[in-house]
Amino acid sequence: MEHRTPTEGTVKQLYGTAWRCGEPSCTKPLYRLNDDTGEYILNSRIAHIHARSQGGPRWDPDMSEAANRDASNLIPLCETHAWEIDQTPQHFTADMLREWKKKQLAEYQTVQRSWTLTDAEVTDVVTVSFTTLEERLLGGIYAAAESARQEERRQRQRSLIADMVHAANSWTDTMQVLTISSARNGWKTRDIIEWVNTDSGRAMASNRELIKSNARKLRFETRHPDLLAALDAAETAMGNLEVYEPVWSGSPTKAEERTVIYRHLNHVKRLFLDLEQIGIKVLADPPPEGTP
Ligand SMILES: [Zn+2]
């Protein structure tokens, strides 16, 4: 006899109300930071106070399935302690583990630190906590976790691109307005410098920053040649500030100078729209399995 594993909601609840291993003297956090990559790596498992399977550690034959998979019967522990309490259950009674659990929750109440898990992370936790290595290798559970992770990656890349396109549009629109008013009012360099400190000037600067930083993140996330090529083209055009020289150095009074600037702004916009289109294509959801 075996109860079902805890629900996703329960897994999120457990990590959402704990920061470190439930063994009161253990300082290991449930996720550890990899200093080299900056990534958080799962460093823990969910342990059962009363086992999920008949004959398992602290198995309680009178316990209902609902009670067995409830958060009150579960405790997040570091890998060492999760292993230890099930290997030598005679040293770790249910009452003792309930006491650990109480302390873990009390600590959360005080420090308010915990982990917010994504759906892919829940799948990881369920996989390492409730399946044997053999089941993992045979059952395609890794494949499910991997496809959830890929979906999250695609979503992240889509939103990086959408934010960049939005920022580029806003930047080029403001640049156009700036060019017009600079020409109309006969602005000099001093006026431009003043303008840089207005809300519009600051918005332009922050849009450029956003584009730079999202481009960096996107390069880190994707190796797709079409996407990288579109990103390079858009960023290079965006970085070509010489085109606006007439605006900075005085006013672009000549119509031809303004035409060059407008044409370039349209070019920048077009390249970011291309990036968006290519992103939509490259990051489309894969067809469901089994379709030809
Ligand atoms: Zn521990």
Side-chain angles (χ1 to χ4, degrees), residues 167-183 187 192 195-196 200-201 203-205 207-208 237-238 240-250 252 257-258 260-262 264-266 268-269:
N169 269 329
S170 156
W171 190 90
T172 48
D173 286 348
T174 316
M175 193 65 212
Q176 193 152 356
V177 171
L178 177 63
T179 308
I180 294 168
S181 44
S182 151
W187 277 6
I192 299 288
W195 184 87
V196 165
S200 310
M204 272 185 103
N207 279 326
R208 277 187 63 84
M238 182 84 196
N240 182 5
L241 297 178
E242 281 164 31
V243 180
Y244 313 110
E245 194 54 37
V247 183
W248 311 135
S249 64
E257 287 182 334
R258 290 201 296 276
V260 171
I261 292 173
Y262 294 157
H264 183 69
L265 289 173
N266 283 333
V268 171
K269 255 189 206 200

mmCIF file of all heavy atoms in Angstrom, residues 167-183 187 192 195-196 200-201 203-205 207-208 237-238 240-250 252 257-258 260-262 264-266 268-269:
data_model
loop_
_atom_site.group_PDB
_atom_site.id
_atom_site.type_symbol
_atom_site.label_atom_id
_atom_site.label_comp_id
_atom_site.label_asym_id
_atom_site.label_seq_id
_atom_site.Cartn_x
_atom_site.Cartn_y
_atom_site.Cartn_z
ATOM 1 N N ALA A 167 10.886 49.169 -25.154
ATOM 2 C CA ALA A 167 11.847 50.218 -24.785
ATOM 3 C C ALA A 167 12.415 50.895 -26.031
ATOM 4 O O ALA A 167 12.591 52.118 -26.060
ATOM 5 C CB ALA A 167 12.978 49.618 -23.942
ATOM 6 N N ALA A 168 12.665 50.110 -27.088
ATOM 7 C CA ALA A 168 13.228 50.679 -28.315
ATOM 8 C C ALA A 168 12.224 51.606 -28.988
ATOM 9 O O ALA A 168 12.575 52.686 -29.473
ATOM 10 C CB ALA A 168 13.632 49.555 -29.270
ATOM 11 N N ASN A 169 10.956 51.206 -28.992
ATOM 12 C CA ASN A 169 9.912 52.053 -29.561
ATOM 13 C C ASN A 169 9.830 53.375 -28.838
ATOM 14 O O ASN A 169 9.742 54.442 -29.446
ATOM 15 C CB ASN A 169 8.553 51.351 -29.480
ATOM 16 C CG ASN A 169 8.288 50.541 -30.723
ATOM 17 O OD1 ASN A 169 8.742 50.897 -31.810
ATOM 18 N ND2 ASN A 169 7.578 49.436 -30.566
ATOM 19 N N SER A 170 9.832 53.276 -27.531
ATOM 20 C CA SER A 170 9.707 54.474 -26.733
ATOM 21 C C SER A 170 10.933 55.381 -26.925
ATOM 22 O O SER A 170 10.819 56.599 -27.041
ATOM 23 C CB SER A 170 9.491 54.051 -25.282
ATOM 24 O OG SER A 170 9.881 55.046 -24.428
ATOM 25 N N TRP A 171 12.115 54.746 -27.003
ATOM 26 C CA TRP A 171 13.349 55.514 -27.193
ATOM 27 C C TRP A 171 13.349 56.239 -28.535
ATOM 28 O O TRP A 171 13.640 57.432 -28.614
ATOM 29 C CB TRP A 171 14.553 54.574 -27.110
ATOM 30 C CG TRP A 171 15.877 55.274 -27.060
ATOM 31 C CD1 TRP A 171 16.539 55.677 -25.939
ATOM 32 C CD2 TRP A 171 16.699 55.670 -28.177
ATOM 33 N NE1 TRP A 171 17.718 56.300 -26.283
ATOM 34 C CE2 TRP A 171 17.841 56.307 -27.652
ATOM 35 C CE3 TRP A 171 16.566 55.536 -29.561
ATOM 36 C CZ2 TRP A 171 18.856 56.814 -28.444
ATOM 37 C CZ3 TRP A 171 17.585 56.045 -30.371
ATOM 38 C CH2 TRP A 171 18.717 56.671 -29.816
ATOM 39 N N THR A 172 12.983 55.523 -29.605
ATOM 40 C CA THR A 172 13.007 56.141 -30.938
ATOM 41 C C THR A 172 11.943 57.233 -31.040
ATOM 42 O O THR A 172 12.194 58.278 -31.648
ATOM 43 C CB THR A 172 12.793 55.085 -32.048
ATOM 44 O OG1 THR A 172 11.677 54.263 -31.703
ATOM 45 C CG2 THR A 172 14.005 54.211 -32.223
ATOM 46 N N ASP A 173 10.771 57.024 -30.429
ATOM 47 C CA ASP A 173 9.732 58.060 -30.449
ATOM 48 C C ASP A 173 10.240 59.338 -29.790
ATOM 49 O O ASP A 173 10.074 60.432 -30.316
ATOM 50 C CB ASP A 173 8.467 57.577 -29.724
ATOM 51 C CG ASP A 173 7.702 56.555 -30.547
ATOM 52 O OD1 ASP A 173 8.032 56.412 -31.747
ATOM 53 O OD2 ASP A 173 6.798 55.896 -29.997
ATOM 54 N N THR A 174 10.870 59.186 -28.637
ATOM 55 C CA THR A 174 11.358 60.361 -27.920
ATOM 56 C C THR A 174 12.468 61.043 -28.710
ATOM 57 O O THR A 174 12.554 62.261 -28.771
ATOM 58 C CB THR A 174 11.883 59.974 -26.521
ATOM 59 O OG1 THR A 174 10.964 59.064 -25.934
ATOM 60 C CG2 THR A 174 12.014 61.185 -25.634
ATOM 61 N N MET A 175 13.323 60.227 -29.342
ATOM 62 C CA MET A 175 14.416 60.782 -30.135
ATOM 63 C C MET A 175 13.865 61.618 -31.282
ATOM 64 O O MET A 175 14.412 62.675 -31.623
ATOM 65 C CB MET A 175 15.269 59.622 -30.667
ATOM 66 C CG MET A 175 16.595 60.046 -31.229
ATOM 67 S SD MET A 175 17.672 60.751 -29.967
ATOM 68 C CE MET A 175 18.577 61.926 -30.956
ATOM 69 N N GLN A 176 12.784 61.149 -31.856
ATOM 70 C CA GLN A 176 12.161 61.872 -32.953
ATOM 71 C C GLN A 176 11.637 63.228 -32.467
ATOM 72 O O GLN A 176 11.858 64.267 -33.095
ATOM 73 C CB GLN A 176 11.021 61.028 -33.520
ATOM 74 C CG GLN A 176 10.511 61.526 -34.843
ATOM 75 C CD GLN A 176 9.930 60.390 -35.665
ATOM 76 O OE1 GLN A 176 9.987 59.220 -35.253
ATOM 77 N NE2 GLN A 176 9.377 60.701 -36.823
ATOM 78 N N VAL A 177 10.964 63.207 -31.335
ATOM 79 C CA VAL A 177 10.435 64.442 -30.747
ATOM 80 C C VAL A 177 11.586 65.397 -30.439
ATOM 81 O O VAL A 177 11.515 66.600 -30.708
ATOM 82 C CB VAL A 177 9.641 64.134 -29.458
ATOM 83 C CG1 VAL A 177 9.271 65.411 -28.730
ATOM 84 C CG2 VAL A 177 8.409 63.313 -29.780
ATOM 85 N N LEU A 178 12.651 64.829 -29.893
ATOM 86 C CA LEU A 178 13.814 65.642 -29.536
ATOM 87 C C LEU A 178 14.406 66.314 -30.784
ATOM 88 O O LEU A 178 14.757 67.499 -30.772
ATOM 89 C CB LEU A 178 14.862 64.754 -28.860
ATOM 90 C CG LEU A 178 16.178 65.427 -28.479
ATOM 91 C CD1 LEU A 178 15.944 66.515 -27.450
ATOM 92 C CD2 LEU A 178 17.150 64.388 -27.916
ATOM 93 N N THR A 179 14.498 65.551 -31.851
ATOM 94 C CA THR A 179 15.041 66.094 -33.101
ATOM 95 C C THR A 179 14.181 67.255 -33.598
ATOM 96 O O THR A 179 14.694 68.312 -33.981
ATOM 97 C CB THR A 179 15.098 64.986 -34.174
ATOM 98 O OG1 THR A 179 15.774 63.859 -33.630
ATOM 99 C CG2 THR A 179 15.829 65.460 -35.418
ATOM 100 N N ILE A 180 12.873 67.054 -33.548
ATOM 101 C CA ILE A 180 11.959 68.101 -34.015
ATOM 102 C C ILE A 180 12.091 69.368 -33.162
ATOM 103 O O ILE A 180 12.284 70.460 -33.681
ATOM 104 C CB ILE A 180 10.495 67.601 -33.987
ATOM 105 C CG1 ILE A 180 10.316 66.468 -35.013
ATOM 106 C CG2 ILE A 180 9.536 68.748 -34.291
ATOM 107 C CD1 ILE A 180 9.007 65.736 -34.857
ATOM 108 N N SER A 181 12.030 69.180 -31.833
ATOM 109 C CA SER A 181 12.028 70.391 -31.012
ATOM 110 C C SER A 181 13.389 71.066 -31.037
ATOM 111 O O SER A 181 13.480 72.290 -30.962
ATOM 112 C CB SER A 181 11.567 70.119 -29.582
ATOM 113 O OG SER A 181 12.154 68.965 -29.103
ATOM 114 N N SER A 182 14.432 70.273 -31.174
ATOM 115 C CA SER A 182 15.763 70.850 -31.274
ATOM 116 C C SER A 182 15.875 71.727 -32.527
ATOM 117 O O SER A 182 16.442 72.819 -32.495
ATOM 118 C CB SER A 182 16.794 69.719 -31.272
ATOM 119 O OG SER A 182 17.920 70.081 -31.983
ATOM 120 N N ALA A 183 15.321 71.242 -33.640
ATOM 121 C CA ALA A 183 15.361 72.012 -34.884
ATOM 122 C C ALA A 183 14.476 73.252 -34.787
ATOM 123 O O ALA A 183 14.867 74.363 -35.149
ATOM 124 C CB ALA A 183 14.905 71.135 -36.040
ATOM 125 N N TRP A 187 17.906 74.703 -30.647
ATOM 126 C CA TRP A 187 18.620 74.309 -29.431
ATOM 127 C C TRP A 187 20.125 74.240 -29.640
ATOM 128 O O TRP A 187 20.601 73.841 -30.703
ATOM 129 C CB TRP A 187 18.133 72.950 -28.949
ATOM 130 C CG TRP A 187 16.885 73.037 -28.146
ATOM 131 C CD1 TRP A 187 16.132 74.152 -27.922
ATOM 132 C CD2 TRP A 187 16.250 71.961 -27.475
ATOM 133 N NE1 TRP A 187 15.052 73.841 -27.151
ATOM 134 C CE2 TRP A 187 15.096 72.493 -26.856
ATOM 135 C CE3 TRP A 187 16.526 70.611 -27.329
ATOM 136 C CZ2 TRP A 187 14.235 71.721 -26.108
ATOM 137 C CZ3 TRP A 187 15.669 69.835 -26.586
ATOM 138 C CH2 TRP A 187 14.530 70.381 -25.976
ATOM 139 N N ILE A 192 20.502 70.849 -24.836
ATOM 140 C CA ILE A 192 20.414 69.379 -24.878
ATOM 141 C C ILE A 192 20.846 68.807 -23.527
ATOM 142 O O ILE A 192 20.213 67.902 -22.981
ATOM 143 C CB ILE A 192 21.314 68.807 -25.998
ATOM 144 C CG1 ILE A 192 20.869 69.342 -27.355
ATOM 145 C CG2 ILE A 192 21.292 67.285 -25.983
ATOM 146 C CD1 ILE A 192 19.579 68.781 -27.872
ATOM 147 N N TRP A 195 18.190 69.161 -21.233
ATOM 148 C CA TRP A 195 17.088 68.258 -21.559
ATOM 149 C C TRP A 195 17.345 66.833 -21.043
ATOM 150 O O TRP A 195 16.424 66.136 -20.628
ATOM 151 C CB TRP A 195 16.893 68.227 -23.079
ATOM 152 C CG TRP A 195 15.718 67.400 -23.471
ATOM 153 C CD1 TRP A 195 14.417 67.796 -23.567
ATOM 154 C CD2 TRP A 195 15.729 66.015 -23.775
ATOM 155 N NE1 TRP A 195 13.619 66.745 -23.913
ATOM 156 C CE2 TRP A 195 14.402 65.638 -24.046
ATOM 157 C CE3 TRP A 195 16.742 65.046 -23.840
ATOM 158 C CZ2 TRP A 195 14.054 64.342 -24.387
ATOM 159 C CZ3 TRP A 195 16.383 63.755 -24.174
ATOM 160 C CH2 TRP A 195 15.060 63.410 -24.450
ATOM 161 N N VAL A 196 18.615 66.451 -21.035
ATOM 162 C CA VAL A 196 18.989 65.105 -20.581
ATOM 163 C C VAL A 196 18.486 64.852 -19.156
ATOM 164 O O VAL A 196 18.165 63.721 -18.784
ATOM 165 C CB VAL A 196 20.521 64.926 -20.670
ATOM 166 C CG1 VAL A 196 21.002 63.723 -19.886
ATOM 167 C CG2 VAL A 196 20.946 64.799 -22.132
ATOM 168 N N SER A 200 11.833 62.976 -19.656
ATOM 169 C CA SER A 200 11.980 62.294 -20.949
ATOM 170 C C SER A 200 13.424 61.864 -21.166
ATOM 171 O O SER A 200 13.682 60.771 -21.672
ATOM 172 C CB SER A 200 11.587 63.219 -22.098
ATOM 173 O OG SER A 200 10.353 63.809 -21.877
ATOM 174 N N GLY A 201 14.361 62.736 -20.786
ATOM 175 C CA GLY A 201 15.773 62.400 -20.942
ATOM 176 C C GLY A 201 16.138 61.193 -20.104
ATOM 177 O O GLY A 201 16.837 60.287 -20.557
ATOM 178 N N ALA A 203 14.063 58.910 -19.031
ATOM 179 C CA ALA A 203 13.381 57.723 -19.570
ATOM 180 C C ALA A 203 14.176 57.148 -20.732
ATOM 181 O O ALA A 203 14.322 55.928 -20.866
ATOM 182 C CB ALA A 203 11.960 58.088 -20.020
ATOM 183 N N MET A 204 14.735 58.034 -21.573
ATOM 184 C CA MET A 204 15.549 57.548 -22.689
ATOM 185 C C MET A 204 16.750 56.762 -22.184
ATOM 186 O O MET A 204 17.063 55.690 -22.702
ATOM 187 C CB MET A 204 16.054 58.730 -23.516
ATOM 188 C CG MET A 204 15.114 59.147 -24.603
ATOM 189 S SD MET A 204 15.867 60.448 -25.604
ATOM 190 C CE MET A 204 16.353 59.506 -27.035
ATOM 191 N N ALA A 205 17.413 57.327 -21.176
ATOM 192 C CA ALA A 205 18.599 56.652 -20.639
ATOM 193 C C ALA A 205 18.216 55.299 -20.064
ATOM 194 O O ALA A 205 18.906 54.296 -20.288
ATOM 195 C CB ALA A 205 19.252 57.520 -19.577
ATOM 196 N N ASN A 207 15.669 53.436 -20.861
ATOM 197 C CA ASN A 207 15.309 52.503 -21.932
ATOM 198 C C ASN A 207 16.551 51.905 -22.593
ATOM 199 O O ASN A 207 16.588 50.724 -22.925
ATOM 200 C CB ASN A 207 14.445 53.209 -22.980
ATOM 201 C CG ASN A 207 12.998 53.293 -22.543
ATOM 202 O OD1 ASN A 207 12.491 52.386 -21.877
ATOM 203 N ND2 ASN A 207 12.335 54.384 -22.884
ATOM 204 N N ARG A 208 17.572 52.746 -22.770
ATOM 205 C CA ARG A 208 18.826 52.226 -23.350
ATOM 206 C C ARG A 208 19.452 51.182 -22.424
ATOM 207 O O ARG A 208 19.950 50.161 -22.872
ATOM 208 C CB ARG A 208 19.821 53.359 -23.580
ATOM 209 C CG ARG A 208 19.609 54.119 -24.876
ATOM 210 C CD ARG A 208 20.747 55.117 -25.089
ATOM 211 N NE ARG A 208 22.023 54.431 -25.234
ATOM 212 C CZ ARG A 208 22.456 53.928 -26.374
ATOM 213 N NH1 ARG A 208 21.722 54.032 -27.458
ATOM 214 N NH2 ARG A 208 23.622 53.322 -26.434
ATOM 215 N N ALA A 237 22.462 48.864 -34.458
ATOM 216 C CA ALA A 237 21.781 50.063 -34.962
ATOM 217 C C ALA A 237 21.447 51.004 -33.817
ATOM 218 O O ALA A 237 21.607 52.220 -33.910
ATOM 219 C CB ALA A 237 20.520 49.664 -35.722
ATOM 220 N N MET A 238 21.005 50.436 -32.724
ATOM 221 C CA MET A 238 20.640 51.231 -31.549
ATOM 222 C C MET A 238 21.870 51.969 -31.010
ATOM 223 O O MET A 238 21.770 53.092 -30.527
ATOM 224 C CB MET A 238 20.108 50.271 -30.481
ATOM 225 C CG MET A 238 19.648 50.930 -29.219
ATOM 226 S SD MET A 238 17.955 51.502 -29.388
ATOM 227 C CE MET A 238 17.879 52.604 -27.996
ATOM 228 N N ASN A 240 24.400 53.076 -32.650
ATOM 229 C CA ASN A 240 25.016 54.020 -33.584
ATOM 230 C C ASN A 240 24.544 55.439 -33.282
ATOM 231 O O ASN A 240 23.620 55.966 -33.893
ATOM 232 C CB ASN A 240 24.652 53.619 -35.015
ATOM 233 C CG ASN A 240 25.298 54.527 -36.025
ATOM 234 O OD1 ASN A 240 26.087 55.408 -35.662
ATOM 235 N ND2 ASN A 240 24.958 54.324 -37.287
ATOM 236 N N LEU A 241 25.214 56.077 -32.340
ATOM 237 C CA LEU A 241 24.757 57.384 -31.870
ATOM 238 C C LEU A 241 25.284 58.530 -32.732
ATOM 239 O O LEU A 241 24.819 59.665 -32.620
ATOM 240 C CB LEU A 241 25.181 57.589 -30.409
ATOM 241 C CG LEU A 241 24.560 56.597 -29.416
ATOM 242 C CD1 LEU A 241 25.083 56.840 -28.012
ATOM 243 C CD2 LEU A 241 23.029 56.664 -29.432
ATOM 244 N N GLU A 242 26.247 58.220 -33.607
ATOM 245 C CA GLU A 242 26.822 59.279 -34.443
ATOM 246 C C GLU A 242 25.776 59.932 -35.340
ATOM 247 O O GLU A 242 25.883 61.113 -35.676
ATOM 248 C CB GLU A 242 27.934 58.696 -35.324
ATOM 249 C CG GLU A 242 29.238 58.513 -34.578
ATOM 250 C CD GLU A 242 30.188 57.590 -35.335
ATOM 251 O OE1 GLU A 242 30.133 57.577 -36.580
ATOM 252 O OE2 GLU A 242 30.950 56.866 -34.659
ATOM 253 N N VAL A 243 24.778 59.104 -35.717
ATOM 254 C CA VAL A 243 23.724 59.613 -36.592
ATOM 255 C C VAL A 243 23.072 60.866 -35.998
ATOM 256 O O VAL A 243 22.632 61.758 -36.722
ATOM 257 C CB VAL A 243 22.656 58.519 -36.799
ATOM 258 C CG1 VAL A 243 21.542 59.005 -37.707
ATOM 259 C CG2 VAL A 243 23.292 57.260 -37.347
ATOM 260 N N TYR A 244 23.036 60.920 -34.672
ATOM 261 C CA TYR A 244 22.311 62.021 -34.025
ATOM 262 C C TYR A 244 23.210 63.219 -33.761
ATOM 263 O O TYR A 244 22.804 64.159 -33.085
ATOM 264 C CB TYR A 244 21.674 61.538 -32.714
ATOM 265 C CG TYR A 244 20.944 60.231 -32.881
ATOM 266 C CD1 TYR A 244 21.427 59.045 -32.320
ATOM 267 C CD2 TYR A 244 19.768 60.167 -33.636
ATOM 268 C CE1 TYR A 244 20.779 57.845 -32.502
ATOM 269 C CE2 TYR A 244 19.113 58.963 -33.829
ATOM 270 C CZ TYR A 244 19.622 57.802 -33.260
ATOM 271 O OH TYR A 244 18.976 56.615 -33.457
ATOM 272 N N GLU A 245 24.425 63.142 -34.298
ATOM 273 C CA GLU A 245 25.402 64.212 -34.075
ATOM 274 C C GLU A 245 24.807 65.616 -34.253
ATOM 275 O O GLU A 245 25.023 66.490 -33.405
ATOM 276 C CB GLU A 245 26.605 63.989 -35.009
ATOM 277 C CG GLU A 245 27.827 64.818 -34.669
ATOM 278 C CD GLU A 245 28.282 64.660 -33.227
ATOM 279 O OE1 GLU A 245 28.192 63.525 -32.684
ATOM 280 O OE2 GLU A 245 28.694 65.663 -32.636
ATOM 281 N N PRO A 246 24.045 65.857 -35.336
ATOM 282 C CA PRO A 246 23.479 67.205 -35.503
ATOM 283 C C PRO A 246 22.615 67.636 -34.313
ATOM 284 O O PRO A 246 22.584 68.814 -33.967
ATOM 285 C CB PRO A 246 22.620 67.079 -36.761
ATOM 286 C CG PRO A 246 23.160 65.896 -37.489
ATOM 287 C CD PRO A 246 23.701 64.971 -36.446
ATOM 288 N N VAL A 247 21.941 66.654 -33.690
ATOM 289 C CA VAL A 247 21.095 67.010 -32.537
ATOM 290 C C VAL A 247 21.966 67.413 -31.352
ATOM 291 O O VAL A 247 21.675 68.374 -30.656
ATOM 292 C CB VAL A 247 20.181 65.830 -32.130
ATOM 293 C CG1 VAL A 247 19.253 66.223 -30.990
ATOM 294 C CG2 VAL A 247 19.388 65.340 -33.327
ATOM 295 N N TRP A 248 23.046 66.649 -31.140
ATOM 296 C CA TRP A 248 23.887 66.955 -29.977
ATOM 297 C C TRP A 248 24.663 68.245 -30.178
ATOM 298 O O TRP A 248 24.854 69.013 -29.259
ATOM 299 C CB TRP A 248 24.918 65.845 -29.712
ATOM 300 C CG TRP A 248 24.407 64.442 -29.692
ATOM 301 C CD1 TRP A 248 24.987 63.369 -30.297
ATOM 302 C CD2 TRP A 248 23.237 63.943 -29.050
ATOM 303 N NE1 TRP A 248 24.242 62.243 -30.084
ATOM 304 C CE2 TRP A 248 23.162 62.565 -29.325
ATOM 305 C CE3 TRP A 248 22.221 64.533 -28.300
ATOM 306 C CZ2 TRP A 248 22.129 61.752 -28.869
ATOM 307 C CZ3 TRP A 248 21.174 63.726 -27.835
ATOM 308 C CH2 TRP A 248 21.148 62.365 -28.117
ATOM 309 N N SER A 249 25.126 68.476 -31.387
ATOM 310 C CA SER A 249 26.111 69.531 -31.583
ATOM 311 C C SER A 249 25.487 70.887 -31.853
ATOM 312 O O SER A 249 26.171 71.867 -32.005
ATOM 313 C CB SER A 249 27.043 69.166 -32.728
ATOM 314 O OG SER A 249 26.291 69.094 -33.910
ATOM 315 N N GLY A 250 24.249 70.959 -31.937
ATOM 316 C CA GLY A 250 23.599 72.218 -32.239
ATOM 317 C C GLY A 250 22.199 71.821 -32.614
ATOM 318 O O GLY A 250 21.650 70.934 -31.987
ATOM 319 N N PRO A 252 19.618 70.319 -35.677
ATOM 320 C CA PRO A 252 19.571 69.745 -37.019
ATOM 321 C C PRO A 252 18.642 70.579 -37.900
ATOM 322 O O PRO A 252 17.531 70.182 -38.194
ATOM 323 C CB PRO A 252 19.002 68.345 -36.769
ATOM 324 C CG PRO A 252 18.166 68.500 -35.533
ATOM 325 C CD PRO A 252 18.750 69.630 -34.739
ATOM 326 N N GLU A 257 19.540 66.668 -42.945
ATOM 327 C CA GLU A 257 20.066 66.078 -41.716
ATOM 328 C C GLU A 257 18.946 65.394 -40.935
ATOM 329 O O GLU A 257 19.119 64.304 -40.404
ATOM 330 C CB GLU A 257 20.719 67.165 -40.854
ATOM 331 C CG GLU A 257 22.050 67.627 -41.414
ATOM 332 C CD GLU A 257 22.715 68.666 -40.533
ATOM 333 O OE1 GLU A 257 21.991 69.374 -39.801
ATOM 334 O OE2 GLU A 257 23.955 68.766 -40.589
ATOM 335 N N ARG A 258 17.810 66.067 -40.886
ATOM 336 C CA ARG A 258 16.677 65.455 -40.172
ATOM 337 C C ARG A 258 16.231 64.176 -40.876
ATOM 338 O O ARG A 258 15.900 63.190 -40.235
ATOM 339 C CB ARG A 258 15.517 66.445 -40.083
ATOM 340 C CG ARG A 258 15.800 67.607 -39.137
ATOM 341 C CD ARG A 258 14.530 68.265 -38.678
ATOM 342 N NE ARG A 258 13.782 68.896 -39.765
ATOM 343 C CZ ARG A 258 14.045 70.136 -40.230
ATOM 344 N NH1 ARG A 258 15.027 70.850 -39.699
ATOM 345 N NH2 ARG A 258 13.328 70.632 -41.197
ATOM 346 N N VAL A 260 17.996 62.070 -42.531
ATOM 347 C CA VAL A 260 18.910 60.968 -42.201
ATOM 348 C C VAL A 260 18.560 60.398 -40.822
ATOM 349 O O VAL A 260 18.505 59.181 -40.618
ATOM 350 C CB VAL A 260 20.379 61.456 -42.221
ATOM 351 C CG1 VAL A 260 21.313 60.394 -41.658
ATOM 352 C CG2 VAL A 260 20.781 61.841 -43.641
ATOM 353 N N ILE A 261 18.285 61.309 -39.882
ATOM 354 C CA ILE A 261 17.957 60.863 -38.525
ATOM 355 C C ILE A 261 16.653 60.073 -38.505
ATOM 356 O O ILE A 261 16.575 58.971 -37.945
ATOM 357 C CB ILE A 261 17.867 62.070 -37.572
ATOM 358 C CG1 ILE A 261 19.265 62.685 -37.399
ATOM 359 C CG2 ILE A 261 17.299 61.659 -36.222
ATOM 360 C CD1 ILE A 261 19.278 63.968 -36.614
ATOM 361 N N TYR A 262 15.628 60.595 -39.153
ATOM 362 C CA TYR A 262 14.335 59.880 -39.153
ATOM 363 C C TYR A 262 14.470 58.508 -39.798
ATOM 364 O O TYR A 262 13.902 57.523 -39.330
ATOM 365 C CB TYR A 262 13.272 60.686 -39.907
ATOM 366 C CG TYR A 262 12.913 61.987 -39.246
ATOM 367 C CD1 TYR A 262 12.369 63.036 -39.983
ATOM 368 C CD2 TYR A 262 13.116 62.172 -37.883
ATOM 369 C CE1 TYR A 262 12.049 64.243 -39.378
ATOM 370 C CE2 TYR A 262 12.800 63.371 -37.273
ATOM 371 C CZ TYR A 262 12.272 64.405 -38.024
ATOM 372 O OH TYR A 262 11.959 65.582 -37.433
ATOM 373 N N HIS A 264 17.068 56.678 -39.940
ATOM 374 C CA HIS A 264 17.761 55.767 -39.033
ATOM 375 C C HIS A 264 16.835 55.301 -37.898
ATOM 376 O O HIS A 264 16.845 54.125 -37.526
ATOM 377 C CB HIS A 264 19.009 56.427 -38.448
ATOM 378 C CG HIS A 264 19.793 55.497 -37.566
ATOM 379 N ND1 HIS A 264 20.482 54.412 -38.079
ATOM 380 C CD2 HIS A 264 19.959 55.454 -36.229
ATOM 381 C CE1 HIS A 264 21.047 53.752 -37.083
ATOM 382 N NE2 HIS A 264 20.748 54.367 -35.947
ATOM 383 N N LEU A 265 16.026 56.213 -37.378
ATOM 384 C CA LEU A 265 15.106 55.826 -36.303
ATOM 385 C C LEU A 265 14.130 54.754 -36.783
ATOM 386 O O LEU A 265 13.838 53.787 -36.070
ATOM 387 C CB LEU A 265 14.344 57.053 -35.789
ATOM 388 C CG LEU A 265 15.186 58.049 -34.974
ATOM 389 C CD1 LEU A 265 14.384 59.305 -34.665
ATOM 390 C CD2 LEU A 265 15.682 57.410 -33.679
ATOM 391 N N ASN A 266 13.644 54.929 -38.011
ATOM 392 C CA ASN A 266 12.744 53.906 -38.565
ATOM 393 C C ASN A 266 13.456 52.573 -38.743
ATOM 394 O O ASN A 266 12.884 51.511 -38.500
ATOM 395 C CB ASN A 266 12.183 54.374 -39.914
ATOM 396 C CG ASN A 266 11.081 55.388 -39.712
ATOM 397 O OD1 ASN A 266 10.416 55.376 -38.667
ATOM 398 N ND2 ASN A 266 10.902 56.278 -40.669
ATOM 399 N N VAL A 268 15.964 51.483 -36.919
ATOM 400 C CA VAL A 268 16.102 50.879 -35.582
ATOM 401 C C VAL A 268 14.798 50.190 -35.181
ATOM 402 O O VAL A 268 14.783 49.044 -34.742
ATOM 403 C CB VAL A 268 16.489 51.953 -34.530
ATOM 404 C CG1 VAL A 268 16.423 51.380 -33.123
ATOM 405 C CG2 VAL A 268 17.893 52.480 -34.814
ATOM 406 N N LYS A 269 13.694 50.912 -35.363
ATOM 407 C CA LYS A 269 12.388 50.343 -35.024
ATOM 408 C C LYS A 269 12.131 49.045 -35.789
ATOM 409 O O LYS A 269 11.689 48.050 -35.218
ATOM 410 C CB LYS A 269 11.288 51.342 -35.393
ATOM 411 C CG LYS A 269 10.690 52.031 -34.200
ATOM 412 C CD LYS A 269 9.469 52.822 -34.602
ATOM 413 C CE LYS A 269 9.343 53.944 -33.593
ATOM 414 N NZ LYS A 269 8.020 54.516 -33.534
#
